Amino acid sequence: MSLNAAIIGMGRWGRTLVESVQGANDAPIRFVAGSTGTPDKARDWAAAQGIRLLDRYEAVLADPEVQAVVLATPHKQHAEQVIAAARAGKHVFVEKPFTLSKASAEAAVAACREAGVVLALGHNRRFLPAVAELKEMLGDGRIGTLLHVEGHFSGPGAAAYKAGMWRADRSESPLGGMGGMGIHMIDMMVNLAGPIAEVSVASTARVLTNGLDDTTAMLCRFASGATGTFATLAYAPRCWRVALYGSEGWAELTDHEHLVHRPREGETVVRDFPKVDIERAELEAFAAAVAGGPAYPLPLDQAVHGVSVFETMITAAASGGPMAVA
């Protein structure tokens, strides 16, 4: 039996999430209702998807058919919307960034735990088969002692952000590409290497003139003692890569599917993994967790920690010096 969900926010990404599962006979989740800030723009699309378009979020939460909400809304709204959903007894899938402060993330998690509802965060790269292989390499000794992590996630999307768009607001998009792209790589680094203890950040606008930064770079130290570097560029050709460097070898994953492993001794191994629909995978994992199956594979303490890292990065960029992550 499918989980009946509502989509909140019907912009480009909200539509991507819906279309990854809607109409698939074997999908464990289906969208039956939703709301958006621009209903006139979404009316035809919602009708084509079989989604009842409601006039406000409160109406969605009051709808007895809706068992869960999927939030693809502006970042600053997430915490309040998650808490409201929990109090209404609805399970919650929320797009990244989870929230913009550790305190609000903790409040959202507490509300969901108190209500006994599932809370899932949309860091979809956790569902890449090649990432599972990287975790195995860390666990079985092929990397050895992890010394350093490199991450990069860039793309030109911010060039299209115009005045009046919520993503063009610096309070919604601090540190340039962090909210739309970079936060995914922070989660990847935490997923692979554990908690981040300290960050130093430089963030600036080199070419953008819409008020947003286009170049953000971070140097970090993990709680394990390993170091890391990361960059997100909001006006550069698309690039996605993560690399692990250890005492016994290194491994680099690019474009989600291409993995290279160079051991200390022996031949370099190159593997190409099949493409997967990671949006469908994350929604299916959410539905499975609601149904009493495996827990959603992003622990809530890591969800809160990712927000804390982001919040600390903002402070560190302003201060110009290293900052400890709370």
Side-chain angles (χ1 to χ4, degrees), residues 7-281:
I7 182 68
I8 313 302
M10 298 182 189
R12 180 184 69 85
W13 197 250
R15 297 184 185 200
T16 295
L17 291 170
V18 170
E19 291 168 4
S20 72
V21 296
Q22 200 76 335
N25 292 332
D26 58 343
I29 181 172
R30 68 187 181 106
F31 288 90
V32 299
S35 66
T36 187
T38 54
D40 289 340
K41 293 181 180 180
R43 204 170 305 279
D44 290 345
W45 174 84
Q49 296 294 329
I51 292 173
R52 290 183 289 107
L53 187 59
L54 303 179
D55 61 354
R56 64 192 191 282
Y57 184 48
E58 291 77 12
V60 172
L61 296 184
D63 191 323
E65 186 183 13
V66 173
Q67 300 168 295
V69 295
V70 174
L71 303 177
T73 51
H75 310 150
K76 290 193 296 185
Q77 297 177 15
H78 288 175
E80 182 179 340
Q81 289 175 334
V82 170
I83 292 169
R87 290 174 177 168
K90 312 296 186 183
H91 303 283
V92 188
F93 178 98
V94 57
E95 263 304 323
K96 51 71 199 166
F98 177 18
T99 72
L100 294 176
S101 71
K102 182 181 180 183
S104 62
E106 290 176 331
V109 167
C112 289
R113 284 178 170 156
E114 181 178 351
V117 299
V118 171
L119 172 60
L121 177 57
H123 281 306
N124 47 23
R125 275 74 177 181
R126 288 198 176 218
F127 295 87
L128 290 169
V131 170
E133 177 67 12
L134 283 175
K135 289 180 74 74
E136 285 190 20
M137 294 171 70
L138 285 165
D140 65 20
R142 279 177 283 172
I143 298 297
T145 299
L146 183 63
L147 306 174
H148 184 74
V149 182
E150 290 180 1
H152 192 109
F153 193 171
S154 295
Y161 299 165
K162 308 298 183 185
M165 296 173 63
W166 69 265
R167 287 190 181 275
D169 181 347
R170 282 187 69 94
S171 68
E172 290 279 9
S173 298
L175 303 186
M178 274 300 302
M181 299 179 292
I183 192 67
H184 275 304
M185 189 56 69
I186 296 301
D187 179 73
M188 181 60 59
M189 294 170 74
V190 170
N191 181 30
L192 294 172
I196 293 173
E198 183 182 86
V199 298
S200 297
V201 178
S203 190
T204 187
R206 302 259 307 148
V207 293
L208 284 179
T209 58
N210 58 7
L212 301 180
D213 291 350
D214 54 49
T215 303
T216 302
M218 177 189 79
L219 171 67
C220 73
R221 178 177 54 81
F222 292 90
S224 67
T227 57
T229 55
F230 160 78
T232 184
L233 311 179
Y235 191 69
R238 185 171 179 82
C239 176
W240 190 98
R241 67 179 290 270
V242 61
L244 307 174
Y245 296 90
S247 59
E248 300 304 319
W250 60 260
E252 179 186 50
L253 174 61
T254 55
D255 296 329
H256 296 176
E257 289 92 26
H258 186 69
L259 180 62
V260 178
H261 171 223
R262 177 70 179 269
R264 175 181 290 278
E265 298 180 1
E267 297 296 321
T268 298
V269 178
V270 178
R271 291 183 62 186
D272 286 308
F273 289 77
K275 292 183 179 294
V276 298
D277 187 336
I278 51 179
E279 285 73 52
R280 175 168 177 163

